């Protein structure tokens, strides 16, 4: 009886540890897992590292068009490694004469402009024209169950 309990315990511990990956590395088993992993890691990064990490992810994604190659490139990468890949992708796109990046001087300027654009987009929140009446209404926002 003790052998059976020990066997079940070992199987449980093995399955538990197999399901737990490295929390600070990108899991690129497939594209959806990579996106989820990137978002999870981004949420746990210090605020100053979030934008560079996200920009690097999308720059590498733009550079490596083939999905399988992209997944191989980012699989198991830590945030600092992905940021370095993003800087390299930015440099190659800039040197190739991409008009989107040619006007930028360096990586920091790209981050500054992206951060500014995000704050500008957040300030220009669209208002619903039905909210411009003199009294607040909520009944138009209700939906059928």
């Amino acid at each position: 009886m003790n052998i059976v309990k020990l066997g079940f315990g070992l199987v449980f511990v093995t399955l538990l540890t197999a399901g737990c990956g490295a929390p600070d590395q990108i899991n690129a088993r497939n594209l959806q897992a990579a996106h989820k992993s990137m978002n999870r890691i981004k949420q746990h990064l210090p605020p100053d590292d979030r934008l560079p990490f996200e920009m690097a992810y999308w720059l590498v994604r733009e550079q490596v068009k083939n999905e399988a190659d992209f997944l191989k490139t980012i699989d198991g990468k830590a945030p600092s490694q992905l940021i370095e890949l993003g800087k390299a992708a930015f440099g190659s796109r800039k040197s190739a004469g991409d008009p989107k990046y040619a006007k930028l001087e360096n990586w920091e300027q790209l981050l500054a402009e992206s951060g500014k654009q995000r704050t500008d987009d957040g300030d220009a929140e669209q208002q619903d024209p039905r909210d411009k009446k003199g009294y607040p209404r909520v009944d138009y926002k209700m939906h059928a169950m």
Side-chain angles (χ1 to χ4, degrees):
M1 192 65 159
N2 286 339
I3 294 174
V4 173
K5 288 181 182 177
L6 181 64
F8 280 124
L10 287 174
V11 168
F12 177 73
V13 169
T14 303
L15 291 175
L16 184 65
T17 57
C20 300
D24 64 336
Q25 294 178 347
I26 295 178
N27 173 11
R29 181 179 58 235
N30 58 37
L31 197 57
Q32 183 179 9
H35 289 321
K36 284 183 181 180
S37 180
M38 187 270 298
N39 285 323
R40 180 183 41 81
I41 291 170
K42 184 177 75 168
Q43 295 304 320
H44 291 87
L45 285 174
D48 293 341
D49 292 340
R50 290 179 185 172
L51 182 62
F53 178 72
E54 187 177 3
M55 289 296 298
Y57 179 86
W58 291 112
L59 277 169
V60 172
R61 181 64 181 130
E62 284 180 359
Q63 184 182 27
V64 183
K65 300 288 187 196
N66 185 344
E67 184 176 316
D69 292 340
F70 171 69
L71 294 174
K72 286 180 195 174
T73 302
I74 66 167
D75 191 30
K77 297 287 191 262
S80 60
Q81 294 171 320
L82 187 66
I83 290 171
E84 290 303 316
L85 285 174
K87 286 179 182 179
F90 168 75
S92 66
R93 299 282 297 268
K94 181 174 172 51
S95 64
D98 188 334
K100 186 176 174 182
Y101 302 105
K103 63 183 177 182
L104 301 171
E105 294 295 320
N106 55 27
W107 172 256
E108 287 75 23
Q109 188 178 8
L110 172 69
L111 295 177
E113 286 196 11
S114 296
K116 183 181 179 300
Q117 182 181 10
R118 285 183 180 204
T119 57
D120 291 346
D121 289 346
D123 292 341
E125 188 174 311
Q126 295 293 327
Q127 289 286 331
D128 191 325
R130 294 173 283 193
D131 286 338
K132 293 185 180 180
K133 293 183 179 178
Y135 54 92
R137 290 193 53 194
V138 295
D139 59 345
Y140 68 87
K141 293 182 181 178
M142 296 173 64
H143 62 304
M145 309 261 308

